[in-house]
Amino acid sequence: MDINGARTLDIKRMKLSPTDEAKLESDNNAETVNFEEEEDDTNGKGDISLVYKALEDSPFELDGDSAYGLCLIAKRDLKAGELLHDDTPAFFGPSADLVEDYSTPLCLGCCVVMNDGNGENRCPTCGWPICSSDCDNIEHHKANECGLFVKHDVKFPPNVEIQPCYKAIAIIRGLLVKERSPQMWEQLMTLQWKTQLQLTPFPDFEEFKENFGLPEFGEEEDWTRILGIINVNSYSFQRIEKKEGSPSFGECLFPIYSLMCHSCSPNCTWAIQYSPEFSMKVRPTVDIKKGEMLSVCYNHEFSKFGFYKRQEKIRERAEFECKCRRCVDPHDLGTDLAAVKCFKCKEGLMLPEDASDFEMDWKCDKCSYGMSPEFISSFVESLYEQSDMAEDEAQETGEPVVKIFEDFILSNSNIKVHSNHWVIAEAAHAIVRLQASNLSKLKLEEVNRFTDLCQYLLQIKNVIAPGFSNERGMLHHHLARGYYMKVKLLINTDALKTTLSEEDLINIHNVQKYAMKFWKENPHYESLTENLKREPEYLIGEAEEIKLLLEGSNVPK
């Protein structure tokens, strides 16, 4: 039985932003909006005054109307990089979407996959999976389902599949909020619990509760509503939590940040901290004016696509139609990530006039030749599959995988698709990822190509993910390290002074400083594992060497 409903991974909630910068065109006094007079309680039915109270000390406030739902707007001007608010989850649960069976259970404390020889570890009280003694007394488990499972003699594994089993853990923790914290329950009940399209029906929970071992626990209506609230509002994480090779998968329900709007070109970035707190940090990526709506990208993976593929993914996985300023523009804010070359004249670019009309033909801007969106989608998908097979092709032929990606870019960029098309950008990004960990082994011409690709990707991200976004931050990090390797190679061949001017070195050092600022002000930094924290440490040391060069000192070859 599937109780995952409209599963969303890290797609969190439906919100239709009229624009990303402008305030909603509704009354500034959100208290005058009566959300409870709607015929449908999709947007929640709890005590809205509790939400206002929870936001009293925050730099943002509640706004919205019946058309757009609840959202957060700035109370004052917000600076890029400013830490806005730490939100603690009302509840969370492990996510088993990427786990096949009970042979590798997930820890109910930290959500780690127990594949490190600890798969048999169990909570001494209830007998359910706990990875280590560190997680035995974590409140999220001890104060929630642990006692409930003992009381009702619920054994692990229950008579349900692993994916709905762990989804049920989150639901049970949500239901227990009703008993433990009635005010928080009323606040959660204000949250939207149905998706805009609602393509996936809710399950019959009576049968599931019986199979799980809790036939009398909770009303079916409450099980359904909590599942809907999770599917629409939760933030998910997939990462390495404790050690390499043991990923953790979880989803958290944050009472405040569940109210943030989605945008495919957001003005804020977010990160969930490690166990046991699982708190969420949010920072603006750009300056935000008082009264402007706060937005985040619910799924950064979808952000890489052009408008058509992105909208297709959002409708399929999150069950809503995004109306952010990027999604209503077929040119993706001028980047043309979806534009293909005309199949007839070979000169023009093909796009639909209306990005929101998924049945409209794509027409050439030179000769007006038209093609159906289904044909364009199939054509682009075939290109993506070709690029996606690069690593398999490299294993079969022995050809370097970077060379295969380079050939793909050369044969398609500005020939079959726009040079910024997302399939080209993804191939370029694949090269950057592959070479980033082996920069010291690259030749000078390879390093130059590496930095060129970083700059190429940055000119796209500068538009669709501006400011202190994760995407721009990592690209600046790679660019800074690539520049440093170039300097080292030139020093080793005594060609530095004849190749790079002092102004070039100053520009390189500025890129390094920007990348370090990204690490310092990014909410993800505190959550990095020790291995990943070495990356900014390398950057700091390299920046010191460039600084010495600018001061006239020598650095070792």
Side-chain angles (χ1 to χ4, degrees):
M1 179 181 179
D2 180 15
I3 71 162
N4 287 305
R7 289 185 299 153
T8 55
L9 290 181
D10 60 344
I11 295 282
K12 303 175 304 302
R13 64 177 279 107
M14 187 277 287
K15 184 71 69 177
L16 301 180
S17 307
T19 66
D20 294 296
E21 291 89 5
K23 187 179 179 296
L24 289 174
E25 294 179 2
S26 61
D27 196 317
N28 289 335
N29 185 1
E31 283 100 333
T32 63
V33 179
N34 190 342
F35 294 95
E36 298 184 36
E37 288 185 358
E38 301 174 11
E39 294 181 5
D40 184 358
D41 68 346
T42 294
N43 285 321
K45 60 178 183 180
D47 187 349
I48 200 73
S49 68
L50 294 173
V51 181
Y52 287 109
K53 184 176 181 180
L55 292 174
E56 284 178 354
D57 298 326
S58 300
F60 42 77
E61 59 189 353
L62 195 66
D63 196 8
D65 62 20
S66 57
Y68 299 110
L70 300 175
C71 63
L72 300 177
I73 63 170
K75 283 183 184 177
R76 55 173 173 79
D77 291 351
L78 304 175
K79 299 296 293 182
E82 174 184 351
L83 181 61
L84 297 185
H85 176 87
D86 270 15
D87 201 8
T88 302
F91 62 90
F92 79 95
S95 174
D97 285 352
L98 300 180
V99 180
E100 293 184 2
D101 54 50
Y102 285 114
S103 63
T104 52
L106 284 82
C107 175
L108 295 187
C110 66
C111 304
V112 72
V113 177
M114 295 165 59
N115 62 357
D116 190 31
N118 58 355
E120 299 300 319
N121 286 8
R122 297 292 182 265
C123 170
T125 304
C126 68
W128 277 60
I130 290 291
C131 70
S132 67
S133 58
D134 292 340
C135 289
D136 281 348
N137 293 314
I138 284 183
E139 283 297 304
H140 303 296
H141 169 63
K142 185 179 179 181
N144 283 296
E145 70 279 353
C146 186
L148 184 71
F149 290 169
V150 171
K151 179 180 178 180
H152 295 276
D153 196 28
V154 180
K155 303 296 186 184
F156 180 85
N159 187 30
V160 298
E161 294 183 357
I162 189 169
Q163 290 81 16
C165 168
Y166 280 101
K167 179 70 78 171
I169 296 296
I171 296 173
I172 289 167
R173 290 177 179 179
L175 292 172
L176 288 170
V177 171
K178 190 174 186 178
E179 301 175 10
R180 193 175 65 250
S181 180
Q183 281 198 346
M184 178 57 72
W185 175 264
E186 284 299 312
Q187 188 174 333
L188 295 180
M189 290 301 101
T190 65
L191 296 175
Q192 182 178 321
W193 67 285
K194 292 180 182 178
T195 62
Q196 178 196 15
L197 303 180
Q198 200 57 44
L199 303 175
T200 310
F202 287 106
D204 175 2
F205 273 110
E206 291 305 318
E207 177 188 354
F208 176 82
K209 289 162 60 181
E210 185 74 37
N211 292 335
F212 192 86
L214 290 173
E216 305 300 323
F217 176 71
E219 300 294 330
E220 182 171 8
E221 178 186 352
D222 288 342
W223 278 76
T224 299
R225 184 174 286 270
I226 289 295
L227 173 61
I229 287 173
I230 292 170
N231 286 335
V232 175
N233 299 280
S234 67
Y235 288 75
S236 298
F237 58 84
Q238 301 174 10
R239 63 193 181 195
I240 302 300
E241 176 113 359
K242 294 189 173 179
K243 62 180 295 184
E244 299 296 330
S246 296
S248 60
F249 306 116
E251 52 189 351
C252 304
L253 200 289
F254 296 97
I256 300 302
Y257 284 141
S258 291
L259 300 169
M260 293 192 75
C261 286
H262 165 77
S263 172
C264 297
S265 183
N267 57 20
C268 293
T269 185
W270 59 275
I272 297 173
Q273 307 306 292
Y274 280 163
S275 173
E277 292 82 10
F278 291 112
S279 62
M280 180 169 166
K281 295 180 181 293
V282 171
R283 295 179 189 266
T285 55
V286 295
D287 291 345
I288 299 174
K289 296 292 185 182
K290 179 180 178 180
E292 289 181 353
M293 187 186 300
L294 275 61
S295 62
V296 291
C297 185
Y298 293 169
N299 190 316
H300 291 293
E301 180 69 14
F302 294 172
S303 181
K304 69 185 181 184
F305 298 121
F307 81 93
Y308 192 86
K309 179 74 170 180
R310 187 174 67 254
Q311 280 280 36
E312 187 177 65
K313 288 284 188 182
I314 291 174
R315 291 197 307 274
E316 173 190 338
R317 298 295 296 278
E319 300 189 359
F320 75 95
E321 294 180 357
C322 183
K323 300 296 183 182
C324 74
R325 66 190 181 105
R326 186 178 160 201
C327 280
V328 299
D329 178 9
H331 294 278
D332 276 291
L333 306 182
T335 59
D336 282 324
L337 292 178
V340 302
K341 296 290 283 189
C342 180
F343 292 86
K344 184 178 181 182
C345 73
K346 311 296 183 183
E347 294 294 328
L349 293 171
M350 302 187 76
L351 284 170
E353 292 182 3
D354 184 355
S356 62
D357 187 344
F358 305 111
E359 298 181 359
M360 178 178 285
D361 281 356
W362 292 39
K363 290 189 176 181
C364 174
D365 60 1
K366 297 288 187 183
C367 70
S368 297
Y369 180 69
M371 297 291 292
S372 71
E374 292 81 11
F375 178 86
I376 299 292
S377 179
S378 178
F379 168 71
V380 170
E381 195 63 32
S382 68
L383 286 181
Y384 185 48
E385 289 175 1
Q386 180 185 340
S387 172
D388 202 38
M389 295 293 289
E391 294 191 19
D392 291 339
E393 183 180 340
Q395 288 184 349
E396 293 175 4
T397 65
E399 190 173 4
V401 65
V402 169
K403 175 68 164 51
I404 295 173
F405 278 121
E406 289 281 14
D407 289 346
F408 174 82
I409 293 173
L410 188 64
S411 60
N412 292 291
S413 179
N414 265 336
I415 297 172
K416 295 181 180 178
V417 295
H418 190 282
S419 59
N420 283 349
H421 196 284
W422 67 265
V423 296
I424 303 299
E426 275 301 287
H429 211 158
I431 295 172
V432 169
R433 286 193 297 265
L434 287 166
Q435 293 185 326
S437 58
N438 295 292
L439 282 174
S440 61
K441 299 178 182 179
L442 301 184
K443 299 176 182 178
L444 182 59
E445 57 269 26
E446 292 173 322
V447 171
N448 284 335
R449 177 59 175 158
F450 176 85
T451 56
D452 286 346
L453 288 175
C454 288
Q455 290 176 321
Y456 157 74
L457 292 168
L458 272 171
Q459 57 91 23
I460 296 174
K461 299 300 183 182
N462 289 343
V463 177
I464 65 173
F468 285 105
S469 63
N470 299 331
E471 298 97 316
R472 288 188 75 248
M474 285 309 302
L475 284 171
H476 272 96
H477 173 84
H478 293 322
L479 182 61
R481 297 215 65 206
Y483 280 154
Y484 170 79
M485 290 301 170
K486 178 177 181 177
V487 170
K488 293 292 285 186
L489 287 170
L490 292 173
I491 290 175
N492 291 341
T493 57
D494 296 320
L496 179 63
K497 292 184 178 179
T498 59
T499 306
L500 296 178
S501 65
E502 181 178 357
E503 183 178 355
D504 292 330
L505 288 175
I506 291 173
N507 288 336
I508 289 172
H509 192 51
N510 286 338
V511 171
Q512 291 175 319
K513 289 191 290 185
Y514 187 92
M516 288 190 293
K517 185 176 182 181
F518 159 76
W519 284 113
K520 179 181 178 182
E521 298 191 2
N522 191 279
H524 289 274
Y525 181 75
E526 293 178 17
S527 298
L528 292 177
T529 60
E530 289 304 314
N531 282 344
L532 288 176
K533 279 189 176 179
R534 293 195 189 108
E535 287 293 316
E537 290 170 3
Y538 293 148
L539 186 65
I540 292 170
E542 292 163 1
E544 285 297 318
E545 290 191 26
I546 299 299
K547 183 180 178 182
L548 288 173
L549 283 174
L550 288 168
E551 293 171 350
S553 302
N554 294 324
V555 297
K557 291 187 176 182

